Amino acid sequence: MQQPIYLLQTMFQAISEAPDFPTALGIALRMVCETTGWNYGEAWVPRADGTALECSPAWYSNANQFGNLPPAIEQFRASSQDMIVPFGEGLPGRVWVSQQPEWIHDVSSLLSTAFLRATLAQLAGLKAALGVPITTPIKPQQPEHDLTGERQVIAVLVFFMLEPKSEDKPIVELVSTVATQLGSVIRQKQTEEALRRAEERYRSIFENALDGIFQTTPDGKYISANPALAHIYGYSSPQELMAGLADIEHQLYVHPSRRSDFVALMQRHDAVSGFESQIYRKDLSVIWISENARAVRDHNGKLLYYEGTVENITERKHAEEALRKSEAKNRALLNVIPDLMFRISKEGCYLDFKPVKQDDESLTPDEVVGRNLFEILPPEVAKQAQFHVDQALKTSEIQRFEYQLLEQGSPRDYEARLVVSGEDEVLAIVRDITERKKIESMKNEFVSMVSHELRTPLTSVRGSLGLIIGGVAGEIPAQAKALIEIAHKNSERLVLLINDILDIEKIESGKMDFHLQPLDLIALVEQAITANQAYADQHGVKFVLQPTVLKAKVNADSDRLTQVLTNLLSNAAKFSP
């Protein structure tokens, strides 16, 4: 009995000083081997995902202490490190499942199904083997020495000898006793290791986080801060920040009541989320921050401190302000546009609606949005609108069409323009063109009057004056002839003016006829100069043709092109020095 007690005492002392879990396992393996005569020891632990067992970095070989580990042992060790052993298979897997020690007389004589590394063990000269589970109570309050309650395996120790050996129950009991008592120590080391890793991860997160992280006392002093928070606040280090900001309420927030608001929310909810404030940086520049924080209390509910994160949202705030101004500007522009505007989906459903004016007669957005064209417009108009919606989405070209609605017993004319404004949606701008139609009608009536009521008598007057000048009525006095010639020229100018008005109307209505044919451009210009030379002489101007090409063909209407040249030449003669 003295041997296990001594072994446990010395082992516990050594393990307690081990820096981590693998080192503690290595110490246990070495001391068990040295005390009980095993030549080789290894430990198997669950993988991180808990699906199988893997060989721990901790191992021991008495041949290694002399610095000349046999190559076969090295190969056995290397192969073991690369292995994954399923629960219930192989020596470690069976011991894990049974939670009982297992002794093998000679592993080198077994098939690989019974001992997965039988061939490697034979090459390494390993014979007798012992697998022992390290267990701990599942329930924390269960004493470690109580073996009647439920226990869980945390590792499996496997030992080898260099010769075959039948089961030695005292050795099994000794190693089992050591393993059982070792469970609590190893579990503690595992816990310490997990805690250390968690602390390292937390420290890494704390130091490298992009957001600021803090802890503050209830009265407004920093307990801790990470580098990101120092950077956000304009300090070179957390230490400088905590030294420079000794009074958060009066030094940090732009609005003095902001800290009080923060504390009040904490008192009501024990947490705040998205708490936005303007704060002063070290250089007194102002930025926006958003805080998420919680209150930390002890088991009696006493408030200990606040902890949380800080995000610099200055750019977001500036973007929101720019967007707000842009939206206000766009809203103002939309409000002054005297047109009806709305978006329509591919299916003809109103997505939004801006009426021309707000009165009792106008439809409101609530009455229109979500409804279909065929629910709002007459069938023929709705069908026409849907066709142009489809065309706009199909061609990505602006669509334009006119339609008429009967409103309060009177017809009103509208022009709609449709343009693609998003995926499967179209923006429509509708303008009331009733007054424009009336003006166009008046203009057409005027043109008709000019054509029928003025041009016919004016042509007769011009012809009569021409006959008088030609002597049909006999010789007339020179003074009277001069006056008649002036009247004749003015009548010709009036005819030309009326023809111009009619031509413009034809162009606008698309009814102007052009007789295109190949023409000699230089000859056409020469004819225009000849026809207009008399007018140029009246203004003391001379036309000079300086062609850069001798022959040039154009496809044009001879009369219309001559008319254009005549207009240009007459203007040039009239306004030249």
Side-chain angles (χ1 to χ4, degrees), residues 25 33 76 81 162 196 245 285 370 391-392 415 489 555:
L25 275 180
C33 286
F76 183 83
Q81 285 185 304
L162 298 179
R196 182 184 63 80
L245 283 177
S285 61
Q391 286 297 109
E415 178 189 69
K489 288 181 180 179
N555 195 44

Side-chain angles (χ1 to χ4, degrees), residues 344-357:
I344 320 172
S345 70
K346 181 180 180 181
E347 295 76 19
C349 182
Y350 287 89
L351 302 176
D352 58 21
F353 185 81
K354 185 197 83 69
V356 177
K357 56 184 178 179

Side-chain angles (χ1 to χ4, degrees), residues 464-478 480-481 484:
S464 298
L465 291 173
L467 291 173
I468 295 173
I469 293 172
V472 173
E475 192 70 25
I476 58 175
K481 185 177 181 180
I484 293 173

Side-chain angles (χ1 to χ4, degrees), residues 237-257:
S237 67
Q239 293 74 22
E240 184 188 11
L241 182 150
M242 290 187 286
L245 283 177
D247 185 353
I248 294 174
E249 180 176 4
H250 298 99
Q251 290 181 274
L252 183 65
Y253 294 103
V254 172
H255 298 287
S257 64

